Amino acid sequence: MKRKSLTQFLIEQQRSECALPADVRLLIEVVARACKAIGHHVGKGALSGVLGSLTTENVQGEVQKKLDVISNEILLEANEWGGNLSAMASEEMDTIHPIPNPYPRGGYLLLFDPLDGSSNIDVNVSIGTIFSVLRMPADADGREATEADFLQPGRQQVAAGYALYGPQTMLVLTVGTGVYGFTLDREMGSWLLTHERMQIPADTAEFAINTSNTRHWAPPVRRYVDECLAGKTGPRGKDFNMRWVASMVTDIHRIMTRGGIFMYPWDAREPGKPGKLRLLYEANPMSFLVEQAGGAATNGQQRILDVQPQGLHERVSVLLGSKNEVELVTAYHAEG
Ligand code: AHG
Ligand code: MN
Ligand code: MN
Ligand code: MN
């Protein structure tokens, strides 16, 4: 059976009622090509010297892995020349990266987590890349981007997606018309549509959280997880399964595929931080995808896509996935 390529899908989105702008189509094609290159390095592992850590720390205070930096460079170089971007921002860069001369600037902003799940790189567990696309403010009229231009609520996103470097290499994408999954044909080097309009079931019996942090959780999260653990004889009346890969992209792809709830909530280890995951290039793109697939995403108090960012690398508490479960754990937060 002939499968639709990413290019054909994007051209059809351009023609459809969503009228995908040509600049966004080009941007997604370029990011997809860069993810192919990252996946190539990931796949070669020790053979290509990409494993292991550097001595440098990123702005997050994390020791950088070689692949964090390699992936970041690949995405920067691929996206500098197209004329569709005004600037880029990344987990691995302190400040924004304006499009350098002699390249022309465009009307979009690209944000990315170039390599998500870095703690899994050296142990050959699936990892990924996450990206998000915003418009420059309407009144920007060609001026250089500033960090403030990136501080838009996630509901303003034009597109979002992730690449998953797993047994299959996949690209999962939304431009606001549902969620579409593409599998890389490694012989041909083409992304082929394999998952149309992915949907997250509203109910689930599978939760994902790092339970080593149990003693540090706030009461609503503790209550929700304890009830899951109480199983059939408990208040939930059913047994739950638990999964935690520690690569957000991988945990969320499982949820996109068969449902579940993913939680990385505030905990008392670093009480001054709202959570571990970053709002602009992890929580927002994933929340856009999850909502487009019929799921829900909150920070315990409000919809993640409505959070007004205050800083490029700010963190947020993340509760997302099957709608009915996210609504329940969010209701527990309201009860206190
Ligand atoms: P990154 O590798 O981009 O820094 O992100 C890692 C994140 C996320 O992918 C994952 O869900 C979470 O860290 C795992 O955290 P723990 O190791 O604390 O479980
Ligand atoms: Mn990450
Ligand atoms: Mn990362
Ligand atoms: Mn990191």
mmCIF file of all heavy atoms in Angstrom, residues 68 91-92 113-118 278 282, ligand 3:
data_model
loop_
_atom_site.group_PDB
_atom_site.id
_atom_site.type_symbol
_atom_site.label_atom_id
_atom_site.label_comp_id
_atom_site.label_asym_id
_atom_site.label_seq_id
_atom_site.Cartn_x
_atom_site.Cartn_y
_atom_site.Cartn_z
ATOM 1 N N ASP A 68 23.655 15.787 23.503
ATOM 2 C CA ASP A 68 22.879 17.024 23.749
ATOM 3 C C ASP A 68 23.406 18.129 22.837
ATOM 4 O O ASP A 68 22.650 18.853 22.180
ATOM 5 C CB ASP A 68 23.047 17.493 25.212
ATOM 6 C CG ASP A 68 22.236 16.693 26.220
ATOM 7 O OD1 ASP A 68 21.142 16.217 25.868
ATOM 8 O OD2 ASP A 68 22.715 16.549 27.366
ATOM 9 N N GLU A 91 16.919 24.060 25.095
ATOM 10 C CA GLU A 91 17.303 23.671 26.462
ATOM 11 C C GLU A 91 18.787 23.842 26.681
ATOM 12 O O GLU A 91 19.242 24.116 27.778
ATOM 13 C CB GLU A 91 16.914 22.206 26.717
ATOM 14 C CG GLU A 91 17.361 21.701 28.093
ATOM 15 C CD GLU A 91 17.381 20.195 28.232
ATOM 16 O OE1 GLU A 91 16.896 19.496 27.324
ATOM 17 O OE2 GLU A 91 17.882 19.706 29.261
ATOM 18 N N GLU A 92 19.553 23.674 25.585
ATOM 19 C CA GLU A 92 21.016 23.640 25.722
ATOM 20 C C GLU A 92 21.681 24.998 25.496
ATOM 21 O O GLU A 92 22.912 25.066 25.430
ATOM 22 C CB GLU A 92 21.592 22.598 24.759
ATOM 23 C CG GLU A 92 21.050 21.189 24.950
ATOM 24 C CD GLU A 92 21.234 20.637 26.367
ATOM 25 O OE1 GLU A 92 22.193 21.057 27.057
ATOM 26 O OE2 GLU A 92 20.416 19.799 26.793
ATOM 27 N N ASP A 113 13.975 21.023 22.531
ATOM 28 C CA ASP A 113 14.772 20.207 23.434
ATOM 29 C C ASP A 113 15.469 19.234 22.492
ATOM 30 O O ASP A 113 14.844 18.274 22.037
ATOM 31 C CB ASP A 113 13.833 19.486 24.419
ATOM 32 C CG ASP A 113 14.576 18.483 25.285
ATOM 33 O OD1 ASP A 113 15.790 18.315 25.109
ATOM 34 O OD2 ASP A 113 13.922 17.845 26.136
ATOM 35 N N PRO A 114 16.734 19.488 22.154
ATOM 36 C CA PRO A 114 17.340 18.737 21.059
ATOM 37 C C PRO A 114 17.483 17.251 21.339
ATOM 38 O O PRO A 114 17.390 16.422 20.418
ATOM 39 C CB PRO A 114 18.703 19.409 20.879
ATOM 40 C CG PRO A 114 18.991 20.072 22.184
ATOM 41 C CD PRO A 114 17.669 20.462 22.753
ATOM 42 N N LEU A 115 17.713 16.937 22.615
ATOM 43 C CA LEU A 115 17.848 15.526 22.972
ATOM 44 C C LEU A 115 17.144 15.331 24.306
ATOM 45 O O LEU A 115 17.631 15.796 25.345
ATOM 46 C CB LEU A 115 19.332 15.128 23.061
ATOM 47 C CG LEU A 115 19.704 13.663 22.829
ATOM 48 C CD1 LEU A 115 19.209 12.788 23.972
ATOM 49 C CD2 LEU A 115 19.193 13.118 21.517
ATOM 50 N N ASP A 116 15.979 14.696 24.269
ATOM 51 C CA ASP A 116 15.201 14.481 25.496
ATOM 52 C C ASP A 116 15.430 13.058 26.002
ATOM 53 O O ASP A 116 15.361 12.110 25.232
ATOM 54 C CB ASP A 116 13.713 14.701 25.207
ATOM 55 C CG ASP A 116 12.869 14.350 26.414
ATOM 56 O OD1 ASP A 116 12.972 15.070 27.429
ATOM 57 O OD2 ASP A 116 12.141 13.342 26.359
ATOM 58 N N GLY A 117 15.718 12.959 27.320
ATOM 59 C CA GLY A 117 15.981 11.651 27.907
ATOM 60 C C GLY A 117 17.470 11.344 27.971
ATOM 61 O O GLY A 117 17.911 10.201 27.863
ATOM 62 N N SER A 118 18.250 12.416 28.169
ATOM 63 C CA SER A 118 19.721 12.271 28.087
ATOM 64 C C SER A 118 20.286 11.197 29.014
ATOM 65 O O SER A 118 21.302 10.579 28.707
ATOM 66 C CB SER A 118 20.395 13.610 28.419
ATOM 67 O OG SER A 118 19.909 14.604 27.551
ATOM 68 N N ARG A 278 10.630 21.617 31.601
ATOM 69 C CA ARG A 278 10.663 23.002 31.155
ATOM 70 C C ARG A 278 9.401 23.306 30.372
ATOM 71 O O ARG A 278 8.982 22.546 29.497
ATOM 72 C CB ARG A 278 11.918 23.236 30.304
ATOM 73 C CG ARG A 278 13.228 23.393 31.094
ATOM 74 C CD ARG A 278 13.690 22.261 31.981
ATOM 75 N NE ARG A 278 13.800 20.976 31.364
ATOM 76 C CZ ARG A 278 14.917 20.242 31.337
ATOM 77 N NH1 ARG A 278 16.042 20.728 31.844
ATOM 78 N NH2 ARG A 278 14.951 19.031 30.795
ATOM 79 N N GLU A 282 9.350 21.659 26.491
ATOM 80 C CA GLU A 282 8.932 20.291 26.827
ATOM 81 C C GLU A 282 7.427 20.269 27.084
ATOM 82 O O GLU A 282 6.662 19.656 26.348
ATOM 83 C CB GLU A 282 9.684 19.784 28.069
ATOM 84 C CG GLU A 282 11.160 19.467 27.811
ATOM 85 C CD GLU A 282 11.913 19.028 29.058
ATOM 86 O OE1 GLU A 282 11.797 19.684 30.112
ATOM 87 O OE2 GLU A 282 12.634 18.008 28.984
HETATM 88 MN MN MN B 3 17.191 17.616 26.632
#
